[in-house]
Structures are given as C-alpha cells and as structure tokens.
Amino acid sequence: MDQLQIKDLEIFAYHGLFPSEKELGQKFVVSANLSYDMTKAATDLDLTASVHYGELCQQWTTWFQETTEDLIETVAYKLVERTFETYSLVQEIKLELKKPWAPVHLPLDTCSVTIHRRKQRAFIALGSNMGDKQANLEQAIDKLRARGIHILKESSVLTTEPWGGVEQDSFANQVVEVETWLPAPVLLESLLAIESEMGRVREVHWGPRLIDLDLLFVEDQILYTDDLILPHPYIAERLFVLESLQEIAPHFIHPTLKQPIRYLVDQFEQGNA
C-alpha cells in the first residue's frame, strides 16, 4: 500500500517518570509511516483523499504537549489512536518515538518505542433476552462506536430460541461487521468492558443475558489462548449466527473450515432437514 513517511519531527514536551522530566522537559523525536491509497489524491488532485502532512505534524505537536505521561509507550499509543480517529483513510500506522535525552547515565544515542497497528475487519455477535432487548442491542452498538470501533454493516435483528439448555426467554440477536485497529485480545477486552458497563452479571452458564457480545472473526486470524479462541468455536453450530453473517458477508471464508458463510448455511440446513 502507498505510504506517507514523516521522519524525525522534534517536539519539546514534559513526559517521563522522574519529577525533573516533568518540570524541565526534554526533546522527543517522532517518525512514522502512514499507509493509505493515494490514487484518488494523485489522479484527481483530491485533498480530502490525502493526509496534509504539515497539519498532521502540527496536530502531533499539539497532542504531544497537551498532557504529561509517565511512559513514552503511552504517548506513542495515544498518537497512533488520535491519528486513526482523525484520518479515516489511513489503514496502517508504524510510529517510532525516540527519547534522545533519556536519563540514562551511560553512553547512549537514544532510546525509542515503536507501535505498529493496522485496521482490520471483525465480526461481533450481539444478543439480549432481558429487558428492552432491541434497546440493549442499540446501546451496545453505540458503545462500540464510542470506543472508536467503526460499524461497517449491521444484520437484521432475529428472534431466536435460547441456546445451551437453560430455560429462559427468547433472544434478540444480530451480527455487526466492524473496522478496528485494536488487536484481537484488546478488542475482546473492550467487548467485556461494554458488557460490564451495561450491567451484565455472569451467574448461570448459557443463562439469561442483558447483553452478550461474542467476537466471531478477526479477518482470517486463527488464535487459541485461555481467554480467546478465533474463529469463535460455535459459529457453525448456531444457525442464527450463520444467517446473520450470510446477510452481511455471504462470501466471507471461515478461516478453519475453509468454506464461505453461504455454504455453511446450506450445510447446516441440509444436515437438519
């Protein structure tokens, strides 16, 4: 992908663990590669399809100086976050933050941190069977947006019977496709935080839920940890999830089953005919 490179922007600011760093300040140096499609800007002279690097450098300077942080990792992360928020056309950022005057009493040219993030598509299943179910789904989607997670598509809301064997009310379910630069484990943490904010209490396994947010896919990632399995292990066993996925992404290929969603729907229906 096309890249805009900014190298060695010097900014004087007041970040660091030691009181003297916050009082006296020091020089920091920012370099970054921003990836986005430059075709429209280059061929149509469309400034809205480009990043004004002069404005960006000024914005970085402003953002850099408006707070004081203990760690340069925090500063670099916030610069990446604000850049993604401000420039929706940017798909990937690799940013290096150098601290040449670091308080290390040894021969040292500089120390630095590098943060590399790219936007990726993910699919999230939403469910609710307590209170105003439709309103719960809408509130959860609003909270996703508030966390900088861009909603690309929303499936219709389906009314489904409970899954898992616990007697309870029917569910309102849907699936959303999102775009986010958050890594999959961090995205999962955001979903769990939203559930908590909305008042979900995990008392009965497969039991009633005010809101349920399941991370189904993050592009074609395959991941197995104690906290997260990708793709979600029950996708092919839940027709309401497959039907919602088929509505918004029928040709998406399941990373482990190696089949498009529309084929998985057909196979499920044939197997249960």
Side-chain angles (χ1 to χ4, degrees):
M1 185 174 288
D2 310 320
Q3 289 190 340
L4 168 65
Q5 183 180 56
I6 296 174
K7 188 174 182 180
D8 294 339
L9 171 66
E10 295 186 6
I11 305 173
F12 193 90
Y14 298 84
H15 304 291
L17 279 171
F18 298 108
S20 59
E21 295 181 287
K22 288 186 169 64
E23 293 171 6
L24 301 176
Q26 61 189 296
K27 180 175 72 174
F28 297 85
V29 182
V30 181
S31 297
N33 288 333
L34 282 68
S35 300
Y36 60 95
D37 187 347
M38 298 181 180
T39 304
K40 191 171 180 60
T43 59
D44 298 346
L45 302 180
D46 185 352
L47 295 179
T48 63
S50 180
V51 174
H52 190 313
Y53 44 82
E55 291 182 358
L56 176 60
C57 289
Q58 184 57 62
Q59 288 167 328
W60 279 349
T61 301
T62 300
W63 298 338
F64 209 99
Q65 294 175 335
E66 65 187 9
T67 62
T68 59
E69 304 292 348
D70 290 342
L71 302 178
I72 59 174
E73 293 94 332
T74 305
V75 184
Y77 186 91
K78 287 186 174 182
L79 286 181
V80 170
E81 181 178 47
R82 294 284 288 272
T83 304
F84 272 129
E85 289 174 353
T86 305
Y87 297 94
S88 60
L89 76 167
V90 174
Q91 297 299 306
E92 186 171 358
I93 301 174
K94 184 177 182 181
L95 183 143
E96 181 184 21
L97 176 57
K98 298 177 183 178
K99 189 176 181 181
W101 297 351
V104 177
H105 302 297
L106 291 167
L108 175 71
D109 178 58
T110 190
C111 65
S112 70
V113 297
T114 299
I115 291 185
H116 188 183
R117 297 286 187 272
R118 70 176 181 88
K119 290 180 179 176
Q120 47 196 352
R121 289 194 308 162
F123 293 88
I124 300 167
L126 299 87
S128 176
N129 74 336
M130 298 174 65
D132 189 333
K133 305 170 190 177
Q134 178 73 41
N136 292 338
L137 299 183
E138 293 172 358
Q139 183 182 0
I141 290 174
D142 286 342
K143 286 183 174 292
L144 289 171
R145 290 193 180 99
R147 289 174 175 266
I149 299 168
H150 181 53
I151 309 298
L152 298 176
K153 295 179 183 177
E154 300 180 34
S155 76
S156 303
V157 176
L158 301 178
T159 300
T160 64
E161 292 305 308
W163 194 93
V166 178
E167 186 174 344
Q168 56 191 300
D169 196 9
S170 62
F171 274 83
N173 287 106
Q174 70 178 138
V175 170
V176 296
E177 180 183 0
V178 305
E179 181 183 67
T180 178
W181 60 275
L182 298 175
V186 180
L187 179 56
L188 176 63
E189 289 176 6
S190 296
L191 301 187
L192 295 175
I194 290 172
E195 290 182 345
S196 179
E197 288 170 10
M198 292 183 62
R200 177 175 177 177
V201 178
R202 297 173 182 269
E203 294 179 333
V204 180
H205 190 52
W206 306 123
R209 280 151 280 178
L210 181 70
I211 190 66
D212 186 28
L213 301 175
D214 287 333
L215 187 55
L216 303 177
F217 301 111
V218 178
E219 294 198 340
D220 59 353
Q221 290 185 35
I222 299 173
L223 184 65
Y224 183 86
T225 71
D226 291 341
D227 300 315
L228 176 61
I229 300 174
L230 285 176
H232 192 287
Y234 298 119
I235 291 171
E237 301 175 32
R238 297 175 175 175
L239 182 59
F240 64 87
V241 172
L242 291 173
E243 288 177 334
S244 295
L245 283 167
Q246 180 176 237
E247 180 184 347
I248 60 176
H251 305 294
F252 182 83
I253 297 175
H254 193 295
T256 55
L257 300 179
K258 307 299 183 183
Q259 295 284 348
I261 295 299
R262 60 191 182 91
Y263 286 2
L264 295 179
V265 173
D266 290 342
Q267 290 173 5
F268 187 100
E269 291 175 341
Q270 292 170 11
N272 290 270

